[in-house]
Amino acid sequence: MMTIDVETLRTWLEEGRPVTVLDIRPMHERVEWAIPGSIHVDAYDALKANDPKAFAEVELPGNIPVVTVCAAGKTSLVAAQQLQARGIQALSLDGGMKAWSLAWNIAEISLPSSQARVIQVRRTGKGCLSYFISVGKTAVVIDASLDPQVYLDLAHHYGWQIECVLDTHIHADHLSRSRRLAQMSGATLFLPDQTRVSFPFTPIHDGDTLEPGTATLTALHTPGHTPESTCYLLDQHVLLTGDTLFPTGVGRPDLAADADELERRASELYTSLRTLLALPPETIVLPGHTSTPVAFNSDPIASTLADIQEQVGVIHATREVFLQQILARIPPTPPNYERIVKLNEAGLLPERDVTELEAGANRCAIS
Ligand SMILES: [Fe+2]
């Protein structure tokens, strides 16, 4: 066997199995996104030139399998062959980083005083964060960004029935899997009230509550990142913020907005942040994205409103200064976001080339 698929490598990393992941891409590709714990060898040009000594200088730990990784799984095959010729147990990651986009891991948020359990499902290959909230056997999924089967398998593993599927907003950086997950699980699909999507859903408004088991999930309409953006507050102490507020930044207000709309949304974001920052400082914040690959370490990506108050200086500015600073710091737009938004508004999930469409790091935050 010459190759390893994403699911197998993901499982090895999750189980803590010894493996050396060898990233052979050029450095400028690696800095964009990488596999957590991987090591980099600058062998790309040598391998492309069929230089049989591409790894002559590289020392690798003995008796541990090596997985070679490139962008799409071709050059990494040449790399694995060369290492095998040296007697090393080497495998090439099938589909490369493009396929790795769908890799994931989980972390549980510790909530000692709550009957609810919250599991963060992290799409490590892309930075999208989705959540299971469960009480007893009832589960809610928020911002599903992976193959629906991942959530169905996790629910089965924990003995949960998915009853509600929610999104925080119409996403622009990944294809929402929420509609499909609701169809496959028989759950009710809730979306923030808006007229953007063209498929049936149950609208959720500011102040609405869902009651999974004995828990209460309250919707807080927080426009800014998008007009319909909504945060969900679990039992008054856990806040799922989508792309409105992150541990080190705030949501970008510019996608699919012209200059006037941009300024209006940035101002709305300012007002929405005031609403969130009025909650108790110990409130746990669980964001919808992270801008770096998520390690296989079971540490949740979370913060508290108190820590965010310290970390994110711009939220203390006056409205006028906030607007100036936000508009000056808008990052490059995510690739293909207009097509992704159209598909999410239509509720479509293409069968093929999903990772092609979703390529690129997350760029939903301004920090
Ligand atoms: Fe977003």
Side-chain angles (χ1 to χ4, degrees):
M1 190 182 67
M2 197 69 174
T3 60
I4 180 170
D5 62 18
V6 163
E7 181 53 26
T8 307
L9 178 60
R10 185 202 83 68
T11 308
W12 284 10
L13 293 172
E14 188 159 63
E15 290 171 351
R17 234 170 110 155
V19 56
T20 302
V21 179
L22 198 64
D23 189 341
I24 58 152
R25 294 173 300 159
M27 199 51 166
H28 70 270
E29 289 181 32
R30 180 174 167 82
V31 294
E32 177 95 345
W33 210 261
I35 297 180
S38 60
I39 55 174
H40 183 239
V41 172
D42 197 357
Y44 193 77
D45 291 340
L47 288 164
K48 277 297 212 191
N50 278 323
D51 177 354
K53 292 188 181 143
F55 291 114
E57 307 289 309
V58 180
E59 287 200 20
L60 293 163
N63 295 330
I64 294 175
V66 173
V67 174
T68 57
V69 181
C70 68
K74 284 191 181 142
T75 311
S76 58
L77 212 47
V78 180
Q81 274 162 352
Q82 283 207 12
L83 292 171
Q84 284 180 355
R86 275 173 52 184
I88 295 166
Q89 186 195 342
L91 299 164
S92 163
L93 181 65
D94 200 15
M97 287 304 289
K98 211 171 102 181
W100 182 255
S101 161
L102 291 169
W104 57 276
N105 60 43
I106 60 171
E108 179 155 7
I109 291 89
S110 170
L111 302 172
S113 59
S114 174
Q115 292 192 330
R117 289 181 73 183
V118 178
I119 307 266
Q120 188 175 58
V121 185
R122 300 97 71 84
R123 187 169 162 186
T124 173
K126 173 84 183 146
C128 307
L129 306 175
S130 49
Y131 295 91
F132 264 107
I133 296 172
S134 79
V135 184
K137 291 192 176 309
T138 301
V140 174
V141 175
I142 298 180
D143 283 338
S145 62
L146 286 155
D147 187 327
Q149 196 60 46
V150 170
Y151 302 94
L152 295 172
D153 289 346
L154 282 168
H156 180 73
H157 170 81
Y158 288 107
W160 297 336
Q161 176 69 40
I162 302 173
E163 295 196 352
C164 307
V165 175
L166 288 74
D167 272 348
T168 52
H169 64 291
I170 311 303
H171 293 279
D173 67 309
H174 69 265
L175 294 159
S176 172
R177 273 68 168 184
S178 292
R179 186 180 184 215
R180 184 72 60 86
L181 176 61
Q183 287 167 340
M184 289 171 73
S185 62
T188 305
L189 173 66
F190 292 91
L191 297 179
D193 191 25
Q194 34 70 37
T195 53
R196 295 178 62 187
V197 307
S198 56
F199 53 88
F201 64 95
T202 303
I204 202 155
H205 309 90
D206 187 47
D208 283 356
T209 56
L210 294 180
E211 291 180 348
T214 51
T216 305
L217 198 58
T218 308
L220 301 172
H221 181 218
T222 49
H225 173 62
T226 63
E228 76 287 346
S229 279
T230 295
C231 297
Y232 299 109
L233 183 61
L234 172 66
D235 287 344
Q236 302 299 320
H237 69 279
V238 180
L239 183 65
L240 294 107
T241 51
D243 289 353
T244 296
L245 181 62
F246 300 95
T248 57
V250 300
R252 64 185 300 161
D254 64 303
L255 294 178
D258 60 24
D260 286 350
E261 168 80 0
L262 168 57
E263 200 162 326
R264 194 162 57 83
R265 275 205 224 158
S267 181
E268 284 178 339
L269 179 63
Y270 185 82
T271 307
S272 294
L273 292 171
R274 303 271 79 69
T275 307
L276 299 184
L277 294 169
L279 293 168
E282 63 274 16
T283 304
I284 296 168
V285 172
L286 299 176
H289 287 111
T290 178
S291 53
T292 51
V294 187
F296 285 75
N297 59 6
S298 303
D299 287 345
I301 293 167
S303 188
T304 60
L305 283 177
D307 284 346
I308 292 175
Q309 297 259 21
E310 276 186 30
Q311 286 288 323
V312 188
V314 72
I315 58 179
H316 302 293
T318 61
R319 184 182 296 268
E320 197 184 359
V321 172
F322 177 85
L323 257 63
Q324 275 172 10
Q325 293 199 1
I326 290 298
L327 300 187
R329 282 194 232 163
I330 289 186
T333 50
N336 306 326
Y337 82 91
E338 283 160 319
R339 279 184 64 207
I340 291 174
V341 166
K342 278 205 169 68
L343 287 164
N344 282 337
E345 287 176 345
L348 298 174
L349 196 53
E351 294 297 328
R352 296 179 56 220
D353 299 331
V354 173
T355 52
E356 187 87 52
L357 202 59
E358 295 181 323
N362 251 296
R363 297 199 192 118
C364 280
I366 299 178
S367 52

